[in-house]
Amino acid sequence: EGLDPDQLSRVKLIDEKISVAQMLACVDCLKAFIPMRLHGLIYGISRTIPTVPISYDPKVDGLAKDLDMKACFHIDDFKVEDVVREVEGVINNQEVVDFLQEKKKILQEKTDENRQILEELLEE
């Protein structure tokens, strides 16, 4: 519903367990990404792929909010046409890529901080 047959033929759903390397390889091939899980959101941002999350988890909501993401739909109250419209707005949009580059830097800084804290704790 909400997608014409041509659009629907380009949508790919991964519903099997794959490795992180396989997932990142898939994400790298995308023009846009609609993850539902926290790591999917992280993968999309880390690869600077325009990402439009559909959340069922407060962790996804929290990260999207922390990163000032414009759109984060909730599983209980989204419309397919709204998600499609948002995806169409982010595909091939340099402003979105620039935004994600900045958010990627923030995620990397947080990762580095956490790594430092862990190393200090392990030294104690």
Side-chain angles (χ1 to χ4, degrees):
E1 182 178 328
L3 295 175
D4 66 43
D6 182 51
Q7 289 174 315
L8 195 55
S9 71
R10 293 180 287 165
V11 172
K12 303 296 180 211
L13 176 66
I14 299 172
D15 61 355
E16 61 189 63
K17 193 170 189 168
I18 61 175
S19 71
V20 171
Q22 290 171 312
M23 174 59 91
L24 290 174
C26 290
V27 172
D28 285 340
C29 295
L30 299 175
K31 290 183 180 181
F33 187 31
I34 307 172
M36 291 184 68
R37 301 191 54 121
L38 179 65
H39 285 92
L41 179 54
I42 293 168
Y43 295 160
I45 293 167
S46 71
R47 302 308 234 209
T48 61
I49 303 298
T51 301
V52 179
I54 298 176
S55 175
Y56 70 93
D57 185 329
K59 294 181 286 187
V60 174
D61 295 329
L63 181 58
K65 183 179 178 190
D66 288 349
L67 296 176
D68 300 318
M69 295 189 76
K70 179 182 169 191
C72 180
F73 295 93
H74 196 274
I75 191 71
D76 292 330
D77 64 358
F78 78 94
K79 294 182 175 135
V80 171
E81 55 271 12
D82 293 338
V83 175
V84 169
R85 188 176 315 108
E86 190 65 33
V87 168
E88 288 172 342
V90 300
I91 290 177
N92 300 320
N93 184 328
Q94 188 59 46
E95 288 179 22
V96 171
V97 172
D98 294 343
F99 173 83
L100 291 173
Q101 287 284 5
E102 183 59 35
K103 299 311 174 182
K104 178 181 176 178
K105 289 178 192 174
I106 292 169
L107 283 179
Q108 187 60 54
E109 289 169 4
K110 290 181 183 283
T111 299
D112 293 344
E113 288 174 22
N114 287 334
R115 183 178 296 118
Q116 180 66 35
I117 292 168
L118 178 60
E119 288 172 1
E120 290 171 7
L121 288 172
L122 291 173
E123 289 175 4
E124 292 180 1

